[in-house]
Amino acid sequence: MNQPVAADRMIENALREDLAAAFRICHQLGWSESVGNHFSATTSADGAQFLLNPKWQHFATIGPDDLLHLDSNDTSVLDRPNAPDASAWCVHGTLHRKKPEAKVILHCHSPYATALSCLKDPTVVPIDNNTARFYGRTAYDLEFGGIADATEEGERLAQSLGDKSVLVMGNHGVTIVGETVAAAFEDLYFFEKAAQTLILAYSTGQPMAVLSDAVAQNTADGWRPYAGMADKHFAFLKSQLPTL
């Protein structure tokens, strides 16, 4: 095996390990849902080639070798015996094809993020460090029409996401995009914390002390020097996983 091919194989293997770990960590945190929801990661610069979890395999059981390697331009994928979930294919395949910069895409129905998405106004209001983390980074799609298993759904979600890294899917859940698995998972972690804070604050019935735009932006900017937290946190979470 020549050196470039060997290097590419090592990179893909590391990506497989991280993505598989993300599924199992998600389950440990109580964010998995039966055998549904989907995480994916690109293996090519154009986003066409990507890894995706197999159809209806429980998050707690997913290992690196279980991940499907798919081509978003292959129209015959759903006709194969080992076809991915139709919803996962339509959404993740389209997003990776339309947005190659979205290296990692994590979609789940974590409890507080889902509760927030079900509000008439699911805006992430900046009221503390965690909610302000997402100031200016969050997009919203409020056109829920049922199970997302049509290409048009993926097209709409890609348009709704725009240049943001978080998509609140009305009446549905949340989708996070990131440069690496660790970075995307860190945003998923903090988004769930932010949603929890908002739901708890709303539940008091008292007026919220909303940060000014200037303070919210300053807080969001203040998170940037802490980007390295993602790798350290994800490494710790991986270290706590039981061996498959």
Side-chain angles (χ1 to χ4, degrees), residues 34 53 72 81 90 127:
S34 182
N53 47 312
S72 63
C90 290
I127 58 173

Side-chain angles (χ1 to χ4, degrees), residues 143-158:
E143 302 298 323
F144 179 76
I147 301 296
D149 57 2
T151 302
E152 293 77 13
E153 183 84 359
E155 297 276 354
R156 193 190 76 245
L157 293 174

Side-chain angles (χ1 to χ4, degrees), residues 60-175:
T61 71
I62 295 177
D65 294 336
D66 295 317
L67 298 171
L68 304 176
H69 195 199
L70 305 173
D71 184 339
S72 63
N73 295 309
D74 185 352
T75 58
S76 67
V77 166
L78 293 180
D79 298 325
R80 297 175 184 170
N82 65 336
D85 176 77
S87 176
W89 169 251
C90 290
V91 173
H92 289 251
T94 305
L95 283 173
H96 281 302
R97 186 172 64 253
K98 300 282 287 187
K99 295 193 165 295
E101 68 276 13
K103 303 299 184 186
V104 177
I105 301 173
L106 308 181
H107 168 66
C108 72
H109 303 163
S110 51
Y112 287 98
T114 303
L116 181 67
S117 80
C118 293
L119 299 181
K120 188 174 182 63
D121 179 3
T123 302
V124 182
V125 181
I127 58 173
D128 75 333
N129 279 327
N130 293 343
T131 49
R133 176 188 177 98
F134 299 100
Y135 184 79
R137 298 178 51 206
T138 308
Y140 301 86
D141 177 79
L142 306 182
E143 302 298 323
F144 179 76
I147 301 296
D149 57 2
T151 302
E152 293 77 13
E153 183 84 359
E155 297 276 354
R156 193 190 76 245
L157 293 174
Q159 184 174 7
S160 297
L161 179 63
D163 62 353
K164 308 303 184 186
S165 55
V166 177
L167 180 63
V168 174
M169 303 164 72
N171 304 99
H172 190 162
V174 64
T175 292

Side-chain angles (χ1 to χ4, degrees), residues 29-53:
L29 293 172
W31 302 344
S32 58
E33 187 162 278
S34 182
V35 291
N37 292 179
H38 320 103
F39 293 172
S40 61
T42 63
T43 59
S44 62
D46 63 359
Q49 309 288 323
F50 67 99
L51 302 173
L52 179 72
N53 47 312

